[in-house]
Amino acid sequence: MKILVLQTARIGDTIQTTPLFRQIRTKYPDAHITVMIRAMSEEVIKANPDVNDYIIYHEDPIFSDMISRDSDRYMNAYKEVEKLILDLRQRNFDIAYNITHSTSSALLLKLAQIPKVIGAHLSEDWQFTLRGPWTVYFFTSVLSRDYNDLNLCDIFKLYEPIPEPVKELVFDVNSNAMEFTDNLFAEYHIAPEDFVVCMQLGASEANKRWPAEYFAQLGKKLHEKYKARIFLVGVPSEAELGQKFQREVPGLAIPLFGKTTIPQLAALLKRSHLLVTNDTGTMHLASAVKCPVMLVSVGYVHFRETGPYGIGNCAIELRERSFKMDISSKSSELHPLDRIQPEQVLKAIDWLFAMREKKQLIQHELTPDMDNVNVHISEFAPDGCLQFYPVIRRGIDEKDFLRFAYRLMWLEHLNVNPNKQTEIENLHKLFRFYNAPDTKTLTVWNKEFRGSFEELAGKYKQGIHITEQLKNTIADGKIMRAREQVKLLSEIDEQIRIYGELNSYLKPITLVTKFERDNLEGSNPLELAKQTLNIYRGGYERSTLMAKKVKRCCDYLQNTENSTFE
């Protein structure tokens, strides 16, 4: 068995895909696994024992040549791509997992003639299509992120589910890298008992960065309270942020911008007590080597989706956020008092280490100084997927309620966790961290949300009925009648779309329908009708199941006495 995994995004994305590598290795222990990556991720793959080989995809120079308007460079791009395609064909892969999801990656795999592709691909008639239920979930979840409760690592690894799912990222630190850390600590007279903190001031985009000055203020507080020895890590271009840090607290931290390889950084994190970071690849590297992470989640970062994967990491964010992909918003536009404050991050760190010491989740009552932030700690839920549990005890709001109901629905619908006892354990573990709404509120939620999902299910049922008629009409060769029925289905599709726009909490379901309709494969009318029937049946099942999950959550909250979990 020869397997290809295509992951040509950033370093952090490659690390987040390591649970999938391990699950593939577990399912196919004798397989030869090759990963296609960009050059920046080479050290990540070298440190992964589940991978046999890797291919470097030189995407940037190829695309630079293609847009150069220079005939020689254009021909060079053609030759490079041709060489890559021939290489892929000659390797005779049996299966490919496309975790990149781009049109170019789908085209590449199509030309490579790999017989089975999971993820983004091209159909027989060369149309972009999504293969696998978790591929569709991934594409739609980023458009309705408020209701996504699953981490990307869990989504990726479920491309190839196994009975005992992986619960960690993978990065093996080598002895040479550990020797680098030993020498570094010796150079700066850092003793084994010293409290070592790494800070990553940068991020891939400006609106995902907490101000460098705030990092500096936090660093000063950590030094005063824990006598912390601080390293500033990152790429050379982030040295400017380090200069801002140093102006605030001269000499407090040791700058290492561009001075560590990825294995050396992993070794440093392995020896550190904490990483304070924005949403970065370094965060995922820290998780892989079991360094506790304090994520300051700003901008449109959704920590439940992309946060640190593993037990005992912390995320802090401002309340009243929406996770729409508003990349035009800049964190610098916030008033200083509307940002997460260094004192709040310090308190979250104190809570994190108290919990790690006691090896249990501890909640705290709301105080005025933490009123505008959410603080969550990561732990694996009974369903086997990562969950972020609230540290500050508050009442559950509509968005929290629906997000968790969706989690239950998706895991059952996609056959990850059909066990009813596990679902009860999920409900018990999560809802004990919230104050339950009053009976009147729960009655309203049960009526309103259940009613909406049941009404949506009714629209899908209409689609099922007409599509079943359409199959018979096509089989009988009644073309004019078939056109009338297709028109009726188009009207139902529009009703479903509008209903989702009017009720945003329905969009995780209605968007799946749109993606599946856009990804119909083939040109045979009868086959297309069969695929359409499955789409409506899937929409009906999801809507009906969500109505049941809403009722299940309401019943649980109404009948369970909540108390602080100490």
Side-chain angles (χ1 to χ4, degrees):
M1 174 77 72
K2 294 183 178 180
I3 296 173
L4 173 67
V5 182
L6 198 157
Q7 174 53 283
T8 57
R10 297 188 182 101
I11 293 173
D13 298 275
T14 304
I15 299 173
Q16 287 177 290
T17 314
T18 58
L20 173 62
F21 300 157
R22 178 141 295 178
Q23 297 210 167
I24 294 172
R25 172 59 67 205
T26 302
K27 184 168 183 178
Y28 304 104
D30 299 323
H32 188 279
I33 301 173
T34 301
V35 180
M36 181 181 290
I37 50 168
R38 293 167 71 181
M40 65 175 69
S41 295
E42 184 173 8
E43 295 296 339
V44 174
I45 295 303
K46 285 181 176 180
N48 192 296
D50 301 312
V51 175
N52 299 105
D53 194 8
Y54 62 91
I55 301 169
I56 301 295
Y57 180 37
H58 298 287
E59 181 182 49
D60 293 340
I62 290 173
F63 275 89
S64 295
D65 285 345
M66 289 179 66
I67 65 175
S68 65
R69 298 187 178 183
D70 179 281
S71 59
D72 290 336
R73 291 183 63 185
Y74 186 81
M75 182 56 68
N76 184 63
Y78 174 84
K79 290 178 179 179
E80 286 298 314
V81 173
E82 181 183 43
K83 184 167 61 175
L84 178 59
I85 292 168
L86 290 174
D87 180 31
L88 292 175
R89 286 182 181 177
Q90 290 170 0
R91 291 172 184 256
N92 295 316
F93 290 111
D94 300 289
I95 305 175
Y97 298 82
N98 186 358
I99 315 300
T100 301
H101 304 117
S102 65
T103 304
S104 60
S105 65
L107 176 60
L108 188 64
L109 292 176
K110 178 71 172 178
L111 293 170
Q113 300 176 346
I114 299 171
K116 181 179 179 181
V117 174
I118 298 169
H121 195 40
L122 296 186
S123 63
E124 293 300 320
D125 55 352
W126 294 81
Q127 298 297 310
F128 184 81
T129 187
L130 304 174
R131 292 183 175 174
W134 285 102
T135 311
V136 176
Y137 179 85
F138 170 76
F139 263 80
T140 55
S141 68
V142 297
L143 299 174
S144 53
R145 303 173 86 192
D146 286 322
Y147 303 107
N148 174 36
D149 202 43
L150 294 171
N151 190 277
L152 273 182
C153 299
D154 286 319
I155 296 172
F156 288 165
K157 79 184 185 186
L158 288 168
Y159 278 39
E160 191 55 81
I162 58 175
E164 294 294 329
V166 175
K167 295 183 179 180
E168 62 181 359
L169 303 180
V170 180
F171 190 100
D172 285 357
V173 181
N174 62 51
S175 57
N176 289 336
M178 292 304 295
E179 184 179 351
F180 165 84
T181 303
D182 291 338
N183 294 335
L184 183 69
F185 281 19
E187 179 182 355
Y188 290 99
H189 307 290
I190 296 174
E193 65 273 13
D194 286 345
F195 188 81
V196 179
V197 177
C198 290
M199 290 187 170
Q200 172 89 41
L201 310 184
S204 60
E205 298 171 44
N207 65 357
K208 296 164 71 172
R209 296 174 192 157
W210 197 45
E213 294 83 358
Y214 283 24
F215 272 103
Q217 293 172 35
L218 174 63
K220 183 179 180 181
K221 295 177 185 299
L222 287 171
H223 182 70
E224 291 171 349
K225 187 165 188 176
Y226 294 99
K227 300 189 185 309
R229 303 297 304 275
I230 300 171
F231 289 98
L232 303 181
V233 300
V235 297
S237 61
E238 293 171 343
E240 181 180 348
L241 298 172
Q243 292 169 5
K244 292 181 180 180
F245 184 104
Q246 299 286 24
R247 283 197 292 269
E248 289 283 323
V249 282
L252 177 66
I254 301 164
L256 293 177
F257 301 104
K259 295 181 180 180
T260 59
T261 64
I262 291 176
Q264 289 169 349
L265 177 58
L268 172 59
L269 291 166
K270 189 178 180 70
R271 292 280 297 275
S272 298
H273 295 80
L274 177 70
L275 170 70
V276 185
T277 182
N278 301 305
D279 183 72
T280 62
T282 302
M283 171 182 70
H284 302 301
L285 189 60
S287 298
V289 298
K290 308 298 188 294
C291 172
V293 174
M294 177 70 243
L295 167 63
V296 185
S297 185
V298 297
Y300 61 86
V301 172
H302 182 14
F303 68 84
R304 289 184 175 84
E305 179 183 294
T306 61
Y309 190 74
I311 297 174
N313 298 305
C314 188
I316 186 170
E317 67 171 1
L318 289 172
R319 288 178 60 77
E320 306 300 329
R321 298 176 62 210
S322 178
F323 300 107
K324 294 179 180 178
M325 297 292 284
D326 183 12
I327 60 175
S328 62
S329 65
K330 305 294 183 184
S331 61
S332 59
E333 295 173 357
L334 291 173
H335 186 278
L337 294 179
D338 293 329
R339 293 195 181 111
I340 299 169
Q341 299 298 305
E343 295 82 3
Q344 294 172 320
V345 179
L346 178 65
K347 180 171 278 192
I349 291 170
D350 291 341
W351 290 343
L352 170 63
F353 278 98
M355 281 184 270
R356 291 183 71 94
E357 183 178 345
K358 293 186 177 181
K359 297 182 180 180
Q360 66 177 14
L361 296 173
I362 303 172
Q363 263 200 306
H364 299 268
E365 294 300 326
L366 177 63
T367 54
D369 60 321
M370 302 295 279
D371 182 57
N372 68 326
V373 295
N374 293 320
V375 180
H376 286 75
I377 299 289
S378 63
E379 189 170 287
F380 285 94
D383 58 38
C385 295
L386 194 71
Q387 177 69 270
F388 281 89
Y389 293 95
V391 177
I392 302 172
R393 188 171 183 82
R394 287 188 170 97
I396 187 169
D397 61 24
E398 290 184 6
K399 198 170 289 183
D400 293 325
F401 176 84
L402 286 166
R403 186 180 61 251
F404 195 63
Y406 265 115
R407 180 188 180 106
L408 299 180
M409 184 277 287
W410 284 117
L411 293 178
E412 179 172 337
H413 177 67
L414 297 176
N415 297 316
V416 175
N417 181 37
N419 187 309
K420 294 300 179 185
Q421 181 58 38
T422 302
E423 182 173 285
I424 292 171
E425 292 172 6
N426 263 9
L427 289 167
H428 180 67
K429 185 167 183 177
L430 182 75
F431 285 150
R432 68 196 302 184
F433 287 92
Y434 292 91
N435 294 321
D438 57 38
T439 301
K440 182 179 179 181
T441 299
L442 289 171
T443 301
V444 171
W445 288 358
N446 197 14
K447 180 179 179 181
E448 177 184 340
F449 298 144
R450 276 181 65 196
S452 296
F453 286 112
E454 287 170 350
E455 186 171 345
L456 181 60
K459 298 181 186 300
Y460 284 114
K461 195 170 185 179
Q462 290 178 347
I464 292 171
H465 178 67
I466 295 172
T467 310
E468 287 175 335
Q469 292 180 336
L470 176 62
K471 283 175 56 184
N472 296 328
T473 303
I474 293 172
D476 294 340
K478 298 177 181 179
I479 304 302
M480 295 304 294
R481 177 58 180 157
R483 288 177 178 173
E484 293 174 3
Q485 290 168 335
V486 169
K487 183 179 179 181
L488 289 174
L489 291 177
S490 296
E491 292 173 357
I492 290 174
D493 287 344
E494 183 64 7
Q495 291 174 21
I496 290 172
R497 184 192 69 80
I498 292 174
Y499 200 47
E501 292 295 330
L502 294 175
N503 302 278
S504 62
Y505 55 85
L506 300 176
K507 292 187 77 173
I509 295 176
T510 61
L511 284 170
V512 169
T513 301
K514 180 182 185 306
F515 268 83
E516 290 179 331
R517 290 288 266 151
D518 291 345
N519 282 275
L520 289 171
E521 293 192 49
S523 56
N524 183 294
L526 186 57
E527 288 302 317
L528 290 172
K530 291 178 180 178
Q531 291 179 49
T532 301
L533 180 59
N534 287 333
I535 290 171
Y536 288 128
R537 284 174 174 168
Y540 176 79
E541 182 181 333
R542 288 185 282 270
S543 302
T544 303
L545 195 53
M546 265 304 288
K548 292 179 180 178
K549 298 309 178 188
V550 166
K551 183 178 186 303
R552 172 68 65 86
C553 291
C554 283
D555 289 347
Y556 185 91
L557 286 168
Q558 197 159 2
N559 296 318
T560 301
E561 189 175 307
N562 286 266
S563 60
T564 304
F565 181 39
E566 294 288 353

